[in-house]
C-alpha cells in the first residue's frame, strides 16, 4: 500500500510514491516530474526508481482531453508496474487554505469551491493546484483526494504577528498574514526533533529557493514568518519582489499601471531576475560573476540576514538555525555568508562541514564552540503530504462524509 503525493503547477506535475509500512509513511520509492504540460507543450516525464533515472517523451494524441490527462494515465501505468503498488489516496499540496482550512481535508466539491476563493492570494500556485486536483479526481475517481495546506503550519501564530495595522472591517474579511511553505517547515521541524533536543527550543528555519521565506518556531509551533497575506511578502525571491513599500504600488497606479501589469512585475519580473537582469537561478548568477549578478546575490543574502535578525528578536534568542530549499540546501557560500553575519548571536559555522553538506541528508554544520546549532535539512514536502493523507485514513474520518458533495 502507498500514498501518491503530488504538486501540480502551471506546466508541471511533481510526484512521489510513499509506501505504507505498519501504518507509517516511508521515504519515497518513486519520484519524478512531468514538464511541458502547458497548452501546446511537449510533455516529458522524468522519474527515479530504486536509484535508476528514466526519461520519456509523452506523445499527446489528437483528440486527447489534455496533455495533463495523458500524463496522469502514464503515471497510473507507471505506478501499477512498480511491484503492483496499491495507492490508498492522492495527497495534493495546496498553497492557500486561508483561515478556513487549518488542517488537511478530503477534497469535495464544496472544498474546491471554497479554495477557489483564495486564487487571487496565490495566483502563481492556487489555480494550478486546484486544476490538478480536478484532473486527478477525474482520472482516479476511486481514490480519496486529500488537500494539504502550506498555510496550516502557521495557523496558531499569535495575533500580534498575523494582524495588519488596518481597520477591523478588513481583518474580518480575512486580510491578515497567513504564511506559507508550511509543508516544508513541518518536515524540517520533524527532522530537527529527531536529530537534536534543541529542535524543541527557539528555531529559525530558512526555506530558500525560487520561493523563499523564514519561519520562527518555539516548542515546534510557528510564531512568526516572513510571508504574509500572499506569497509575495518577506524575502527577495527568484522572480518575486518580497517586502515592498505599499507607496510604490500607489505610485505605479498613478503612473497608469493596471492590475495585470503590477501583478506581472511583482510575481514574475522582480527578485533575483529583476535585480540582476540575468536569471532567477542562483546557480546561474554565481557562475556569471558580473556586477549585476553580484548585486542580486548580495541583496538576497542581506535580506535573509535582516529578516533572520527580526525573527530572532521575536524568539528572544536562538537555539537552532536550519537551511532548506534549493538554495538553502545547495549553496554553501550563501550559508557561510549568512552565518558569519549572524556571529553576534554566538553562532559559529564549521567551514569544512558546511562544504561537505550534500543536500541528501540532514547535516550539522556548526562549529564545536557555537552557541547555536546550524543544520542543513533537505526538505520533503511530499512525505509530509503523504503523512497527512495517511493520518486522515487512519483516523477513520468517513470517506462517505467526503463524498456527500
Amino acid at each position: 500500500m502507498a500514498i501518491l503525493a503530488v504538486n501540480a503547477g502551471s506546466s508541471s506535475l511533481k510526484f512521489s510514491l510513499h509506501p505504507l509500512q505498519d501504518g507509517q509513511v516511508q521515504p519515497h520509492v518513486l519520484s519524478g516530474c512531468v514538464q511541458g504540460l502547458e497548452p501546446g507543450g511537449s510533455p516529458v516525464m522524468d522519474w527515479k526508481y530504486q536509484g535508476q533515472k528514466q526519461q520519456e517523451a509523452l506523445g499527446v494524441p489528437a483528440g486527447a482531453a489534455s496533455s495533463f490527462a495523458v500524463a496522469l494515465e502514464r503515471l497510473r501505468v507507471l505506478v501499477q508496474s512498480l511491484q503492483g503498488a496499491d495507492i490508498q489516496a492522492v495527497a495534493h499540496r495546496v498553497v492557500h487554505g486561508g483561515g478556513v482550512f487549518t488542517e488537511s481535508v478530503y477534497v469535495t466539491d464544496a472544498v474546491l469551491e471554497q479554495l477557489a476563493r483564495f486564487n487571487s492570494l496565490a495566483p502563481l500556485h492556487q489555480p494550478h493546484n486546484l486544476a490538478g486536483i480536478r484532473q486527478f479526481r477525474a482520472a482516479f475517481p476511486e481514490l480519496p483526494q486529500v488537500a494539504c495546506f502550506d498555510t496550516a503550519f502557521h495557523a496558531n501564530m499569535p495575533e500580534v504577528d498575523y494582524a495588519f495595522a488596518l481597520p477591523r472591517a478588513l481583518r474580518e474579511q480575512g486580510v491578515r498574514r497567513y504564511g506559507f511553505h508550511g509543508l516544508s517547515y513541518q518536515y524540517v521541524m520533524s527532522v530537527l526533533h529527531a536529530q537534536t533536543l534543541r529542535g524543541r527550543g527557539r528555531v529559525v528555519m530558512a526555506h530558500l529557493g525560487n520561493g523563499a521565506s523564514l519561519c520562527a518556531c518555539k516548542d515546534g509551533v510557528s510564531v512568526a514568518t516572513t510571508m504574509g497575506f500572499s506569497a509575495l511578502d518577506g524575502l527577495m525571491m527568484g522572480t518575486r519582489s518580497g517586502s515592498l513599500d505599499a507607496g510604490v504600488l500607489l505610485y505605479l497606479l498613478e503612473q497608469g499601471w493596471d492590475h495585470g501589469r503590477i501583478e506581472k512585475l511583482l510575481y514574475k519580473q522582480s527578485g533575483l531576475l529583476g535585480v540582476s537582469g540575468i536569471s532567477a537561478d542562483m546557480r546561474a548568477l554565481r557562475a556569471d560573476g558580473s556586477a549585476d549578478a553580484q548585486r542580486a546575490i548580495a541583496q538576497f543574502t542581506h535580506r535573509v540576514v535582516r529578516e533572520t535578525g527580526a525573527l530572532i528578536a521575536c524568539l528572544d534568542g536562538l537555539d537552532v538555525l536550519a537551511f532548506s530549499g534549493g538554495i538553502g540546501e545547495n549553496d554553501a557560500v550563501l550559508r557561510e555568508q549568512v552565518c558569519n553575519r549572524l556571529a553576534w548571536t554566538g553562532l559559529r559555522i564549521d567551514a569544512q562541514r558546511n562544504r561537505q553538506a550534500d543536500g541528501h541528508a540532514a547535516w550539522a554544520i556548526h562549529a564545536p564552540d557555537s552557541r547555536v546549532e546550524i543544520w542543513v535539512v533537505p526538505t520533503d514536502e511530499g512525505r509530509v503530504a503523504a503523512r497527512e493523507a495517511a493520518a486522515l485514513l487512519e483516523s477513520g474520518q468517513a470517506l462517505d462524509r467526503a463524498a456527500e458533495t
Side-chain angles (χ1 to χ4, degrees):
M1 296 188 293
I3 304 290
L4 180 63
V6 300
N7 180 6
S10 59
S11 61
S12 65
L13 172 68
K14 296 178 182 179
F15 58 87
S16 55
L17 186 68
H18 299 263
L20 289 172
Q21 184 175 334
D22 298 326
Q24 299 298 311
V25 173
Q26 304 301 307
H28 63 257
V29 294
L30 167 73
S31 63
C33 183
V34 185
Q35 302 279 3
L37 293 176
E38 67 277 5
S42 301
V44 175
M45 177 184 283
D46 291 276
W47 74 91
K48 186 176 181 180
Y49 178 64
Q50 293 184 340
Q52 299 297 314
K53 295 182 179 180
Q54 303 284 338
Q55 185 179 83
E56 177 183 350
L58 304 182
V60 181
S66 67
S67 56
F68 202 104
V70 171
L72 291 192
E73 181 56 33
R74 181 65 187 95
L75 180 58
R76 178 197 290 275
V77 172
L78 176 62
V79 170
Q80 289 177 342
S81 70
L82 303 178
Q83 303 173 353
D86 181 14
I87 301 177
Q88 301 297 296
V90 181
H92 297 263
R93 179 196 178 199
V94 178
V95 166
H96 217 305
V100 179
F101 299 101
T102 58
E103 56 186 19
S104 299
V105 297
Y106 289 120
V107 174
T108 67
D109 292 341
V111 166
L112 282 173
E113 181 180 354
Q114 181 70 46
L115 289 175
R117 299 176 187 175
F118 308 132
N119 282 354
S120 62
L121 305 188
L124 290 188
H125 303 90
Q126 191 85 353
H128 308 300
N129 295 159
L130 303 188
I133 291 176
R134 295 186 185 97
Q135 295 265 22
F136 269 92
R137 292 181 86 195
F140 297 83
E142 75 282 6
L143 293 179
Q145 310 288 323
V146 176
C148 309
F149 304 102
D150 260 341
T151 49
F153 186 75
H154 308 288
N156 296 311
M157 284 193 302
E159 184 177 7
V160 291
D161 193 80
Y162 74 68
F164 291 124
L166 293 171
R168 178 182 298 177
L170 288 173
R171 185 168 69 249
E172 291 174 349
Q173 291 176 34
V175 180
R176 50 158 289 180
R177 302 178 67 85
Y178 290 101
F180 300 92
H181 290 139
L183 297 180
S184 176
Y185 290 135
Q186 188 173 338
Y187 180 80
V188 173
M189 185 54 62
S190 71
V191 172
L192 291 176
H193 281 183
Q195 294 285 344
T196 173
L197 292 175
R198 289 196 179 188
R200 301 183 183 277
R202 301 165 298 180
V203 178
V204 170
M205 295 177 285
H207 180 104
L208 307 178
N210 190 50
S213 70
L214 301 172
C215 176
C217 281
K218 186 177 291 185
D219 299 324
V221 177
S222 173
V223 297
T225 187
T226 55
M227 281 185 171
F229 177 67
S230 72
L232 279 172
D233 202 10
L235 300 179
M236 175 180 170
M237 307 178 214
T239 62
R240 282 172 265 174
S241 63
S243 296
L244 187 69
D245 184 342
V248 173
L249 306 185
L250 296 177
Y251 169 78
L252 295 177
L253 288 171
E254 291 172 357
Q255 298 301 307
W257 288 49
D258 61 14
H259 177 278
R261 189 179 177 190
I262 291 175
E263 181 179 78
K264 186 176 182 180
L265 169 72
L266 298 180
Y267 278 99
K268 297 183 178 181
Q269 298 176 330
S270 300
L272 290 171
L273 175 63
V275 174
S276 70
I278 299 168
S279 176
D281 191 321
M282 182 66 82
R283 294 167 297 185
L285 297 179
R286 292 281 186 204
D288 185 275
S290 66
D292 287 334
Q294 295 307 307
R295 182 180 299 110
I297 294 171
Q299 192 168 333
F300 183 92
T301 305
H302 174 74
R303 292 303 299 273
V304 173
V305 172
R306 174 175 168 168
E307 297 300 325
T308 301
L311 293 189
I312 292 172
C314 292
L315 291 171
D316 300 319
L318 184 64
D319 297 308
V320 177
L321 173 63
F323 292 93
S324 194
I327 298 174
E329 295 167 21
N330 297 294
D331 195 323
V333 175
L334 179 130
R335 292 194 301 262
E336 183 169 2
Q337 290 175 342
V338 168
C339 290
N340 287 342
R341 292 275 302 278
L342 294 171
W344 56 270
T345 65
L347 179 156
R348 299 287 184 271
I349 191 169
D350 184 314
Q352 181 176 353
R353 289 189 63 84
N354 181 43
R355 290 190 296 269
Q356 291 171 339
D358 59 8
H360 292 104
W363 187 254
I365 60 172
H366 47 272
D369 62 341
S370 181
R371 294 204 301 268
V372 177
E373 292 189 5
I374 316 167
W375 288 81
V376 180
V377 183
T379 193
D380 192 344
E381 294 161 315
R383 190 172 182 184
V384 172
R387 286 172 178 167
E388 292 288 301
L392 268 182
L393 294 173
E394 179 68 21
S395 72
Q397 285 194 27
L399 284 177
D400 51 35
R401 187 191 313 166
E404 288 176 359
T405 58

